Amino acid sequence: MTERLSAQFAFLQEIDRLKGVLRATPIGDNSRKENSAEHSWHIAMYALVLADQAGPEVDIARVIKMLLLHDIVEIDAGDAPIHASYDVAAQEAREQAAATRLFGLLPDDQATEFRAIWDEFEAAESPDAVFAKSIDRVQPLLLNLASGGGSWTDYDVTLDQIDTRVGTKVKRGAPAVWTHVRARVAAFFSS
Amino acid sequence: MTERLSAQFAFLQEIDRLKGVLRATPIGDNSRKENSAEHSWHIAMYALVLADQAGPEVDIARVIKMLLLHDIVEIDAGDAPIHASYDVAAQEAREQAAATRLFGLLPDDQATEFRAIWDEFEAAESPDAVFAKSIDRVQPLLLNLASGGGSWTDYDVTLDQIDTRVGTKVKRGAPAVWTHVRARVAAFFSS
């Protein structure tokens, strides 16, 4: 029991470092960049609130678990902004190594379980993962709208690029959400 | 549909402000105070990892939902540190008003559902709420240990006070966790 709890608390302490990983998107009041820990909370809330947009085959409790876990690898690998250019293969290798190290801090049964959920999210094929990816992509759009441009301004992004890089993924898991949000994003770009 | 989504996004944008509510506890590297949004993510992870410490009557998915929601009222009411002295009745009144305003941004069915979960957490009587309260109390102990004292130093807290104010609540929902963590806290105070 004590050995198991020691391993669990070592993991819970190590993931505290996700609070220091900064993302490209600012928080809504534009005072600073968002960190990946608070982003993870916010998208878990997105999944909870927008649950009725998911198909009947989606298990929201499982999606929330997936979203709580999905960014932990950034502790070692950093955040790769969607509109930045970077070496995709090298970033993937860093994330794989990070998953091995970080989930490996847990007792074996939990390490295996969490790694499988993270792998499923990354593969983006199961209904839960497709919905989780939609939610993960839509939240930064709303923060950019709230902050008056955010990472769109920093990376000189066009509406066409948002349609290609973000829209395709949001639409796949939550089509009505995309219709709603796309109209607001288009209005921002035409103003 | 559009009216429902508009209300849901208004709520999701408003709760972004939880990222600006500071707690008494520092993050693990002691570089700054923790905010309530990242705290909410961290304790959801605590609940997920320590799920096997909960009794069989506890529904962990529901506990996670409860913990994701539990601090949203702090957007209006602020955080009331456990070791600080403050007017408990006045703070409760502020939190009730905050719950009415914030959950009231949602469509009626979700406003009712979220408010009921928050009320259940506050009442601390159901098995889910008792476990959620244990988790909420144990995480700051680990951050204070990691940061070399944290809010214990700031508020001049003794081990007896931790036993009374924190231990009773952790022990109620997760007794083996309390045995484990209490030993580490006692070692810190005797060093």
Side-chain angles (χ1 to χ4, degrees):
Chain A
M1 171 66 89
T2 286
E3 202 182 324
R4 184 172 176 87
L5 279 173
S6 293
Q8 290 169 326
F9 280 117
F11 173 80
L12 290 168
Q13 191 52 48
E14 184 66 11
I15 65 170
D16 187 68
R17 292 171 57 202
L18 198 60
K19 300 168 189 169
V21 176
L22 295 184
R23 294 167 46 82
T25 322
I27 61 173
D29 68 7
N30 208 17
S31 60
R32 62 169 171 84
K33 301 289 187 198
E34 187 187 36
N35 73 57
S36 292
E38 59 197 6
H39 164 75
S40 298
W41 165 75
H42 206 181
I43 57 169
M45 286 299 305
Y46 264 67
L48 197 55
V49 169
L50 300 174
D52 49 9
Q53 299 291 331
E57 70 286 14
V58 173
D59 176 346
I60 287 294
R62 211 163 158 274
V63 167
I64 288 173
K65 200 163 162 174
M66 197 175 268
L67 289 170
L68 291 172
L69 293 174
H70 85 296
D71 270 345
I72 285 172
V73 295
E74 294 181 0
I75 288 169
D76 289 354
D79 178 57
I82 190 170
H83 299 300
S85 31
Y86 57 90
D87 182 335
V88 173
Q91 179 64 15
E92 273 181 18
R94 276 193 294 273
E95 291 182 357
Q96 290 289 333
T100 302
R101 184 184 81 79
L102 289 158
F103 296 133
L105 295 171
L106 287 163
D108 288 348
D109 60 317
Q110 290 188 318
T112 304
E113 185 206 343
F114 287 17
R115 177 61 178 260
I117 292 176
W118 181 79
D119 286 341
E120 182 181 330
F121 176 80
E122 289 296 304
E125 284 166 8
S126 72
D128 288 353
V130 169
F131 188 68
K133 285 269 180 190
S134 298
I135 295 300
D136 190 34
R137 294 289 184 229
V138 81
Q139 182 255 12
L141 301 176
L142 277 295
L143 286 184
N144 281 342
L145 285 173
S147 62
S151 64
W152 297 331
T153 310
D154 295 344
Y155 290 96
D156 202 15
V157 176
T158 66
L159 183 57
D160 274 354
Q161 288 171 331
I162 293 172
D163 280 333
T164 311
R165 296 173 189 168
V166 182
T168 46
K169 287 182 184 164
V170 179
K171 203 163 24 177
R172 202 170 153 216
V177 169
W178 180 244
T179 304
H180 182 86
V181 172
R182 209 262 177 200
R184 291 177 58 183
V185 173
F188 174 87
F189 274 87
S190 69
S191 69
Chain B
M1 173 67 86
T2 286
E3 201 182 326
R4 184 172 176 87
L5 280 173
S6 293
Q8 289 168 326
F9 280 117
F11 173 78
L12 289 168
Q13 191 52 48
E14 184 68 9
I15 66 171
D16 188 67
R17 292 171 57 204
L18 198 60
K19 299 167 189 171
V21 175
L22 295 184
R23 293 168 48 80
T25 321
I27 62 173
D29 68 6
N30 208 18
S31 59
R32 62 169 172 84
K33 300 290 187 196
E34 187 187 34
N35 73 57
S36 292
E38 59 198 5
H39 164 75
S40 298
W41 165 74
H42 206 181
I43 56 169
M45 286 299 305
Y46 264 67
L48 197 54
V49 169
L50 300 174
D52 49 10
Q53 300 290 331
E57 70 285 14
V58 173
D59 176 346
I60 287 294
R62 212 163 157 273
V63 167
I64 288 174
K65 200 163 163 175
M66 198 175 267
L67 288 170
L68 290 171
L69 293 173
H70 84 295
D71 270 345
I72 285 173
V73 295
E74 294 181 359
I75 288 169
D76 290 353
D79 179 56
I82 190 170
H83 300 298
S85 31
Y86 57 89
D87 182 335
V88 173
Q91 179 64 16
E92 274 181 19
R94 276 193 294 273
E95 292 182 357
Q96 289 290 332
T100 302
R101 183 183 82 78
L102 288 158
F103 296 133
L105 295 171
L106 286 164
D108 288 347
D109 59 318
Q110 290 188 319
T112 303
E113 185 204 344
F114 286 19
R115 176 60 180 260
I117 292 177
W118 181 77
D119 286 341
E120 182 181 330
F121 176 80
E122 289 295 306
E125 284 166 8
S126 71
D128 288 353
V130 168
F131 188 68
K133 286 267 179 191
S134 297
I135 294 299
D136 190 33
R137 294 290 184 227
V138 82
Q139 182 255 10
L141 300 176
L142 277 295
L143 286 184
N144 281 342
L145 285 173
S147 63
S151 64
W152 297 331
T153 309
D154 295 344
Y155 290 96
D156 202 17
V157 176
T158 66
L159 183 58
D160 275 354
Q161 288 171 331
I162 294 173
D163 280 334
T164 311
R165 295 172 190 168
V166 182
T168 46
K169 286 182 185 165
V170 178
K171 205 164 21 177
R172 202 171 154 214
V177 169
W178 181 243
T179 304
H180 182 87
V181 172
R182 209 263 177 199
R184 292 177 58 183
V185 174
F188 174 87
F189 274 87
S190 70
S191 69

